[in-house]
Amino acid sequence: MRLPILLLPMAVLLLSACAKEPPVARQPGGVTPATSREVAQCLADLRGARSAFSSVPDQQFAPGCAVNGAVILTSLGADAGQIAVSNLGPVACPLASGFNAWVRFGVDRAARQYLGSPLARVETMGSYACRNVAGTSRLSAHSQARAIDIGGFVLADGRRITVLAGWNGGTEAEQQFLRVIRDSACRRFGTVLSPDYNAAHRDHLHIEEGSGSFCR
C-alpha cells in the first residue's frame, strides 16, 4: 500500500531512528548489552577517571560467548597517581568503570587505612572466558567479559597480599583488609564471591556486573 505523500518524511525518519539503535537481546545473567551511546559515555567516564585502556572490537566467539563494548585496562586512576593492573583481558566497559571506582575508593583507601601503604598493583586472574558456571550448564558472566577474578594486591611498600595466603593465614590486618574490600565490592557489583563461598574461590575474589545482589 502506498503511504500518503505527507506521511513519507515521518516514516523515513522513524525508520532511520530505528536503524541507529536496534533492539538488543539480554545476555546470560539478565544484563542488557549497552547501546553505542552508553558505551561512548562509559569510555568518556573511564577517561575522566584517568584510567589507561584500549578499546576492543566487538567479537562473537561462540553461541553465547562474545565481547561487546569492552576495553583492556592497563592502569587505574587513583587519588594520587596510577594503580597498575596485571593479567586482565577484555572487560565490558560498565564493569571496567565500576572496577576502577572500587579499586580507587574501596581497595586503595582500605590499603592505606589497614595496611599503612597505598596500592601499587592489582593482580587479576583474568576476565573473559567462554565457559559455564562450574558444575552447571549455564554460561558464566566471564563468557561476556562481565566478570573479573582478583588474586592479589601489591602495595607501594613492596608487600604482596594474596587472597589464597591472606584470607585465613595472613596477619590480622591483612585478613581485615581482604574482608573490608570484599564487603565494599558487594555494594558496587551484582555478584561477589570470595573464599567464604566455596573452595573454588579459595584463591580469588570474583566480581561480576549485574542487577542482582549476591555477596558471599
Side-chain angles (χ1 to χ4, degrees):
M1 182 176 68
R2 182 174 298 175
L3 290 172
I5 293 176
L6 290 177
L7 294 181
L8 280 173
M10 181 60 71
V12 170
L13 287 174
L14 289 173
L15 289 172
S16 175
C18 290
K20 291 179 180 177
E21 291 294 345
V24 291
R26 295 180 74 82
Q27 298 173 343
V31 175
T32 302
T35 65
S36 58
R37 280 190 287 267
E38 289 170 337
V39 171
Q41 181 59 55
C42 182
L43 296 176
D45 292 342
L46 277 178
R47 295 186 189 97
R50 294 182 289 109
S51 294
F53 65 91
S54 56
S55 296
V56 178
D58 291 352
Q59 297 180 70
Q60 180 80 31
F61 298 100
C65 294
V67 171
N68 295 298
V71 300
I72 293 181
L73 294 163
T74 53
S75 68
L76 308 171
D79 290 344
Q82 297 288 111
I83 295 171
V85 182
S86 64
N87 196 42
L88 189 59
V91 177
C93 189
L95 176 59
S97 182
F99 179 60
N100 189 108
W102 173 63
V103 170
R104 176 182 179 183
F105 299 113
V107 183
D108 184 40
R109 293 183 181 181
R112 295 168 187 265
Q113 179 178 352
Y114 293 95
L115 302 174
S117 175
L119 186 65
R121 183 171 74 248
V122 180
E123 297 181 336
T124 83
M125 300 168 70
S127 49
Y128 173 80
C130 186
R131 61 177 174 82
N132 291 339
V133 175
T136 76
S137 59
R138 178 169 56 89
L139 281 171
S140 165
H142 286 289
S143 68
Q144 296 284 337
R146 294 189 292 102
I148 300 172
D149 292 336
I150 301 112
F153 307 89
V154 177
L155 305 181
D157 64 10
R159 280 179 290 167
R160 182 170 178 260
I161 313 299
T162 67
V163 176
L164 180 62
W167 192 263
N168 293 313
T171 65
E172 182 178 351
E174 290 169 352
Q175 292 185 46
Q176 189 172 13
F177 163 74
L178 290 171
R179 284 161 176 78
V180 164
I181 64 171
R182 187 271 310 273
D183 293 345
S184 70
C186 292
R187 294 190 288 271
R188 292 182 179 273
F189 305 105
T191 298
V192 178
L193 306 176
S194 73
D196 286 346
Y197 180 57
N198 62 17
H201 293 82
R202 67 188 180 281
D203 61 353
H204 68 278
L205 300 176
H206 169 99
I207 62 171
E208 178 180 328
E209 176 196 357
S211 57
S213 180
F214 188 85
C215 173
R216 182 68 185 277

